[in-house]
Each structure stands twice: as C-alpha cells, then as structure tokens.
Amino acid sequence: MRRRTFLTAAAAGVATTVVAGCGGSDSESADGTITLEFLSLAWQKESVDANKALVKRWNDSHTEVKVKYVQGSWDNIHDQLLTSFEGGEAPDIFHDDASDLTDFGYGGYLADLAPYLPDSLKQDIPKAAWATTTYDGKVYGIPFLQEPRVIIANTKLLKESGVRVPTAENPWTWDEFERVCKKLTRGRNAYGVAWSMKEPVSQSVNLSLSTGGRIFYTDKDGKNEIRYDGADSAIAQLINRQVNQDRTAPKSGLGMSGSDTLPGFFAGRYAMLPLNFSYRQQVQQQAPKGFDWTVLPMPKGAGGLAQGTAPQTLSVSEDSPHKKEAAAFIAYLTQARHQVQLARGDWLLPTSTEALKDPSLTTSKYGWRTGADIAASLRPSPVLGVRGYAEWKDKIATPAYQEYYNGAIGITELRKRLAGDGNRILDRYQR
C-alpha cells in the first residue's frame, strides 16, 4: 500500500533523511538509557506532527527507553532498507508496508514480534490484518493503517441520472455498476467512469477477490501458483469492455495516475473515479467551490465486497539488541486512540477494531463512514508472501495489463502471459 503518488514539494522537503544514515544498534548510553531509532515514513504535515507528538509523549513518560525520530521517505524505501540491513546500520524500528516485508522476512532481517505483543493488541487488530504480516507462524510487523479502494462520485450527476445510490449494506453488483456507467455516459467526452491504470497490477489483483478470484493461489505444500480463470479475470474483462466496447470509460485514463483524473472529474468529464481511500484529501483540497462529491463502496461480486490490501506496518530489525523495548514502543504507537490520530493524519483507516468506532471515523463527512463500513471486508492482498511477485509485476504483469486494457491483446494472450510466463518466474524463486 505504498500510496505516495502525489508527493508535494513541501512533503518531499520533509522526507530528507536517508535510511542508510541511521545509526543502527549502538544505542545504550553510559547510564544504561536505551535509545531506539524509529524510521518513520509519514510525510503529510498532519501525519508527521502526530508521529512526533506520540514519540514525545513516550519519551516524556519513559526514563529508561527513549525513542529518536528519524524521517524517511517512501521513495526507494526497499533499496534503502536493504542497504541498511546488509551494512549493519538498520534502525531499530521502521515503518513500511506489508508488501515489502516478504523478502525481508525470508531474508532474516526482521524480528519475530509474536513473543512481545500484548494480548490486547493481538485481539484489537483482526486476524485478516495480522495475516498480512505473518509468515510461517512469525509476525514480522504490526499492521496499523489500511487503505481500501472506493468510488468517488459526482453527487449532482448521480442525482440527475436517477440511479440507485449504493451503500456498504446494499452495494451495487458489478453488473449494476456497468449499467450505471452506461447511464452516466452522456455522449462525447462525458464518461460514466475513468479507470486510472498507470499502475494497473495491484488494483487488478486486489479487486479480483470481489469476484471470487485471487490470481495467486497456494497449495497444501505452501507453493504459490498463478491462475487466471474466469473469476480471476472478471474485473480485467469488465474494464476492457468499458474502455474498448461500451466506451463508458475513456482510453486516455489508462495512462493516468489517480491525481491525473481529478481535473476531468471536477470538470464533469468523469462521473465516477475508482480511487484509493486517501485521495479524498486531494478531492477535498482541490475541488472547485460548490462541487458536491460522495464516497461509495466498490461493487460486489461472488466474493462480496472483499478486496485485497497491504497495510502500512511497523517492524523491528533482527539486529536490534533491544527487540523487547522496540516492540513495546510500537505496541504503544498502535494503541487504538493513537491509531485514530495516525489514520486521520494520513486520511487512511486504522486496523484497530476499537479505533474504527471513533466518532471522527464514522462521520459521513468526506466519506469516513463508508471506509469504516467496508473495513471488515478487507483481506490480505493475494500477493503478500509470494516470492517473485516484484519481478512478475515489473516484467510480466504491468506491460501485459497495459496492452490488454488498451485493446492490443486479447484475454487468451493475457492469460498466457500472466499465468504461463508468470509461473516460470515463481518456480525459480521456489526451487
């Protein structure tokens, strides 16, 4: 869930510290005071402020264990962390997302947090969230912020069309969504939906859960295999149909990021945008005066409202000599009341069941309630724990999906590339 797709100049200025510059584990002073380095990837001002405030609160109330806040950046975090691990300079505690933990966990760089976590935290975060950071019975991170995909819609156009407005309790089906998009398409350059597919893989995989697919399957021996049957490909075929057949979605959207689609949305060119939950902040900040918008759940299929997610995580380096103390700090940071602060700062959802009940996250304003209502439907992304996924995504899936959505290849060729070529990559990692 590395969602940093619209870093502003101010935010980029905040994230100036290089991970490899962290001091590592030389962290005990002459008087016995322990200092833990905490690498945070928070970048928005509200989020940075919330993190720093919680670090200060910890330091003010703990005399023997202090935490040093280190500002990192989402840009190239994997390579930066790998360098710090291999160089013996890793921070005690670091912020990342679940999709980045697979190779680090198998590589022996991450501490198993299972022995250190308080029961209250284990019970507060749902099993589905814990499954995103647990491999072979070891817990390699605390999942604390999560981000579903939602539909951000032009309220005026919805009302004028007379379509039924969905809720989490009574969402559209995918068939109904297609019909709605046809009704909202109003001639040339006025589309029902715009699919931003500059990075097509994660949403194509994660949304497959709603139609009963998952693309990545695991056999009884723990071996991963890619399949691309009807349930797995249903969402991709729907998007292809809307772009190339029904013309309810513009082909130009396929090369856009989520941010790129917003001007057209504000201008009325697109009635709806499937976007990550955090884009609500950009919409709120950039929408013209008087522009009325709403947040809707994604449609349901055979898998209900299920969709995959890779939460943001907090982990402890295996080389840290103070694993117990580091785990205690991140347990503190991820208490329900603190998760509320961190989630609001990033416009994301907390994983904490208790935090999701907070009134500030159940208000209808800016679609917070929609997010809270669909949180229980979030599942671990099928790609989590799959070795070789990064290579498959870069070399096979990204170009294949781009060609398919543009109409350059058909579904048979897409299946051949994703599963046939893809499984050869996975097999190489699983020998």
Side-chain angles (χ1 to χ4, degrees):
M1 194 184 78
R2 202 164 296 128
R3 63 177 189 83
R4 312 299 129 181
T5 55
F6 57 100
L7 273 173
T8 64
V14 169
T16 56
T17 301
V18 177
V19 177
C22 294
S25 57
D26 186 11
S27 54
E28 192 165 337
S29 66
D31 65 359
T33 301
I34 294 169
T35 299
L36 303 171
E37 286 193 339
F38 165 40
L39 173 73
S40 171
L41 300 182
W43 64 275
Q44 299 196 82
K45 183 181 184 303
E46 298 89 343
S47 183
V48 172
D49 289 348
N51 275 272
K52 288 184 174 179
L54 291 171
V55 169
K56 184 179 185 302
R57 199 177 304 168
W58 168 278
N59 287 336
D60 289 345
S61 59
H62 292 76
T63 57
E64 297 181 356
V65 179
K66 301 295 184 182
V67 174
K68 177 184 176 183
Y69 182 94
V70 179
Q71 185 64 59
S73 168
W74 285 99
D75 296 337
N76 302 315
I77 185 60
H78 179 89
D79 292 341
Q80 293 172 344
L81 280 172
L82 184 59
T83 298
S84 71
F85 287 138
E86 293 182 343
E89 295 289 332
D92 298 280
I93 303 155
F94 66 91
H95 180 182
D96 203 349
D97 74 46
S99 65
D100 211 20
L101 300 187
T102 301
D103 289 341
F104 291 151
Y106 285 117
Y109 297 122
L110 308 182
D112 177 14
L113 300 179
Y116 309 114
L117 300 179
D119 289 339
S120 58
L121 182 64
K122 294 176 184 177
Q123 294 164 7
D124 188 33
I125 295 176
K127 290 181 180 179
W130 283 120
T132 65
T133 59
T134 302
Y135 311 130
D136 297 331
K138 295 182 178 179
V139 178
Y140 289 124
I142 295 181
F144 72 111
L145 294 177
Q146 56 190 343
E147 182 167 31
R149 203 158 184 85
V150 293
I151 295 172
I152 298 179
N154 184 317
T155 304
K156 179 174 179 288
L157 294 179
L158 283 181
K159 288 181 178 177
E160 289 177 352
S161 71
V163 301
R164 180 180 72 84
V165 178
T167 63
E169 292 75 25
N170 189 17
W172 288 327
T173 64
W174 283 108
D175 287 343
E176 190 175 4
F177 171 75
E178 287 195 81
R179 293 194 297 271
V180 167
C181 288
K182 290 178 181 178
K183 198 163 188 178
L184 288 169
T185 298
R186 295 151 290 124
R188 185 177 178 84
N189 291 328
Y191 300 93
V193 64
W195 289 95
S196 50
M197 285 288 172
K198 187 175 183 179
E199 297 182 359
V201 180
S202 62
Q203 57 184 309
S204 301
V205 174
N206 288 332
L207 289 178
S208 72
L209 294 180
S210 72
T211 56
R214 59 179 295 111
I215 302 177
F216 289 86
Y217 295 83
T218 306
D219 66 20
K220 58 182 175 55
D221 297 320
K223 184 179 179 181
N224 295 309
E225 178 189 11
I226 299 169
R227 303 177 205 157
Y228 210 63
D229 299 325
D232 307 292
S233 65
I235 296 301
Q237 290 179 277
L238 180 150
I239 295 170
N240 178 286
R241 202 160 48 240
Q242 291 193 311
V243 171
N244 298 296
Q245 181 178 317
D246 299 335
R247 302 289 195 269
T248 56
K251 184 166 286 191
S252 59
L254 299 177
M256 294 183 182
S257 67
S259 298
D260 295 334
T261 61
L262 293 183
F265 178 63
F266 298 142
R269 286 193 62 204
Y270 320 130
M272 299 186 293
L273 299 176
L275 293 172
N276 284 348
F277 195 57
S278 60
Y279 275 96
R280 298 170 303 124
Q281 183 186 32
Q282 273 190 284
V283 176
Q284 184 269 329
Q285 291 176 342
Q286 299 176 15
K289 186 176 181 180
F291 184 85
D292 194 10
W293 55 282
T294 190
V295 178
L296 310 174
M298 294 299 292
K300 70 174 182 178
L305 283 175
Q307 57 175 285
T309 185
Q312 291 186 27
T313 57
L314 293 167
S315 300
V316 175
S317 302
E318 175 62 26
D319 284 347
S320 173
H322 306 296
K323 296 180 182 63
K324 181 179 178 181
E325 293 81 1
F329 171 71
I330 57 177
Y332 169 84
L333 203 64
T334 53
Q335 291 176 11
R337 65 182 186 277
H338 298 159
Q339 283 199 37
V340 173
Q341 294 176 252
L342 298 173
R344 287 189 61 81
D346 253 340
W347 287 65
L348 299 174
L349 293 176
T351 56
S352 161
T353 303
E354 189 62 33
L356 283 167
K357 300 175 185 177
D358 189 274
S360 68
L361 301 182
T362 55
T363 175
S364 58
K365 190 173 184 179
Y366 304 140
W368 281 106
R369 180 178 297 164
T370 298
D373 286 346
I374 64 177
S377 300
L378 300 182
R379 298 290 181 265
S381 173
V383 309
L384 297 179
V386 177
R387 305 198 71 181
Y389 165 71
E391 183 178 346
W392 175 82
K393 176 184 176 182
D394 293 342
K395 294 182 178 180
I396 303 294
T398 295
Y401 273 121
Q402 289 172 338
E403 290 184 54
Y404 176 68
Y405 289 138
N406 274 289
I409 63 173
I411 189 63
T412 301
E413 177 64 16
L414 180 66
R415 287 193 170 109
K416 175 180 176 294
R417 294 192 194 181
L418 295 183
D421 297 344
N423 279 318
R424 282 191 284 274
I425 289 177
L426 264 57
D427 288 344
R428 178 158 37 85
Y429 281 83
Q430 296 179 115
R431 288 172 184 165

